[in-house]
Each structure stands twice: as structure tokens, then as C-alpha cells.
Amino acid sequence: MNNLGNATFENYVGLTGYSEMAYQMSAHVLTLGYAIMLASLLYFILTIKTVSPKYRISSVLSVVVMVSAALLLFVQANNWTSSMVFDAGTNRYMLGDGNDLFNNGYRYLNWLIDVPMLLFQILFVVTLKRSSFSSVRNGFWFSGVAMIVTGYIGQYYEVTNPTLFFIWGAISTVFFFHILYLMKKVIDEGKEGVPPKAAKYLGTIWTLFLVSWMLYPGAYLMPYLFSFSLEPALSETAVVARHITYTVADVASKVIYGIFLTLTAQELSNAEGFDYDKLDTVS
């Protein structure tokens, strides 16, 4: 089993090969991920001026997130198709010659850029009543980066050293829960004194944030969720499930989250007298 070293379990499954369905489902889900980011990029560009200027930095950050995610997820999708080669003898897609192993590291590089941006976004929409803006911002940045870096290290041990895999995953989870704590505090303070519809959107953002971010630990643990033991399940079903889980989590935590922040900013802008429709008519 150790001939691939610290490669992720997708490569070990590739030694026995993927069925046509498993390979194509993975390829299509990965392609769908960056295609959605590109489509959403247009939405965030076109809606920047629908909110008051003071909220627009949130939309600008959504644009940055979409560009980063589309580029790196495009590389991730190509990494999948280049690392697996169809074998006519077995009618399965097998791991290639080893020069291009599949690597989830591209996702972690994407998150290293996107996670701080996603967390900063909400700070440019809500008004903190009691917390310090700089303190929360720094907490988001530190815990966000630490969570991604420790998870990135841990993923390399998911086959060869489960103990280290779980230790690094546990360290990453500590920072993950700190982010949840800060986000809940930000949303609770942000809901104070705002229009009911804006408060409702913020409540939805918290639910979305909680659910979508919980998918990431599930994807990280996917080989073990299918094995029910301390040995990873070298199963093509687990691989497809991981691809789907990561893609759903990315779309929910980046695209849908950004859309709800835009809707919140629009409600706050309207309450403050900003009428985009009138400005658009005049121009």
C-alpha cells in the first residue's frame, strides 16, 4: 500500500481503477464547481452598484473569491483527468505513470486565499455593536489561515499514518470552532437594529454558514466514514462522495453565502435611502 507514499487516497484507489461512472461523475462534478464560480462572477460584478458604496467592498471580495476559486478549481479538475488514464484491458480508469498524482492541495491553496476573504466580507456589511472590528478581523485571519494550513498538512497522512491525520485534523478543528464562535458573535451583533428582512437574511447566513462549513470536515474524513475503522476505505464511492461534498460545500459557502450578503446589503442600503433604481434611471 505504501508505494505511493503520502499521496491521498484517491490515488490508492486509482491503483485498482475507477469504473466509467465513478470517473465521469468525479470529472463532471469538478468541472461543475469551477463553472459555477465563473457564472457567479458575473452576478457579483453586475450587482456591485445595487448597494450603497459603503457596502460594495463585500461584493468586490466576492469577485476576488470567484476568480480565485474558478482558476484553482479548473486546475483541480484538470489534475483529475490528467492523473487517471483509461485502460482498455480492464475497462477502468487507472492511475497513470505517477508523474501527475491527484492532489487535493489545490483546494487548500484556494481556501488559503478565499477563507480570509469570505470571513472579512461580512464585516463590511454588518455594524458591530460591541466587538472591535480589528480584533474580529485579526481573529478571522489567524484562525482561518491556521485551520487551512493544519488541514493541508493532515491530508497527506490520510493513508500512511492515520494517527497524524487525525491529530492534524483535530488541531485544524480547534481553529474551525473559533471561526464559528466569531461568526456567531458578528451575526448576532449585526442583527441588532436592522430592518426585519435584513435580520432574517443574516439569520439565514448563519444557518448556511454552519451547515456548509460542517461539510468540509466530513469531506476530510471521508475515507474513514466509509470504513468505520482506523483503516481508510479505498473505495471509489468514497472518492466520488468526497468530490461531491467539497463541491457542494464550496458553492454554498462562497456563492450562496455571497448572494445572501448582497441581499442583506441591498436591504440595508434601501433602509438608508439608497435607491439604485432611481439612480439607474437618472444615469
Side-chain angles (χ1 to χ4, degrees), residues 219-231:
Y220 179 86
L221 295 170
M222 195 64 72
Y224 294 89
L225 296 181
F226 274 74
S227 70
F228 302 103
S229 71
L230 291 180
E231 290 292 328

Side-chain angles (χ1 to χ4, degrees), residues 26-185:
S26 293
H28 295 159
V29 167
L30 291 169
T31 301
L32 180 65
Y34 73 78
I36 290 175
M37 300 301 164
L38 286 175
S40 301
L41 173 63
L42 292 178
Y43 169 84
F44 291 117
I45 291 174
L46 294 174
T47 56
I48 286 178
K49 291 187 177 181
T50 65
V51 301
S52 173
K54 75 176 187 177
Y55 299 120
R56 288 177 187 170
I57 189 65
S58 178
S59 295
V60 171
L61 290 175
S62 277
V63 170
V64 173
V65 168
M66 293 304 108
V67 172
S68 165
L71 289 175
L72 283 165
L73 292 178
F74 174 77
V75 174
Q76 178 88 87
N78 283 340
N79 180 215
W80 172 256
T81 55
S82 64
S83 60
M84 305 299 163
V85 178
F86 182 72
D87 179 60
T90 60
N91 287 325
R92 296 179 71 81
Y93 287 85
M94 312 290 290
L95 187 67
D97 58 13
N99 292 327
D100 190 16
L101 297 177
F102 181 76
N103 194 323
N104 282 305
Y106 294 111
R107 287 193 184 275
Y108 286 87
L109 292 176
N110 174 227
W111 298 330
L112 195 60
I113 299 170
D114 290 355
V115 165
M117 299 297 102
L118 291 169
L119 297 173
F120 293 166
Q121 273 185 270
I122 196 168
L123 297 178
F124 293 99
V125 173
V126 305
T127 299
L128 298 177
K129 305 297 183 181
R130 293 172 297 280
S131 302
S132 163
F133 178 95
S134 60
S135 176
V136 173
R137 179 199 60 204
N138 293 341
F140 273 153
W141 180 85
F142 176 79
S143 288
V145 170
M147 177 186 69
I148 300 305
V149 170
T150 51
Y152 174 81
I153 295 171
Q155 55 131 6
Y156 284 105
Y157 298 106
E158 66 183 9
V159 175
T160 57
N161 194 327
T163 300
L164 286 177
F165 172 75
F166 284 108
I167 287 175
W168 283 108
I171 295 171
S172 180
T173 302
V174 172
F175 298 112
F176 171 75
F177 281 116
H178 183 236
I179 291 171
L180 293 182
Y181 164 76
L182 289 176
M183 182 60 74
K184 184 66 166 64
K185 182 166 66 171

Side-chain angles (χ1 to χ4, degrees), residues 194-202 264 267:
V194 301
K197 197 168 184 180
K200 183 178 179 181
Y201 284 142
L202 287 171
T264 304
E267 286 300 314

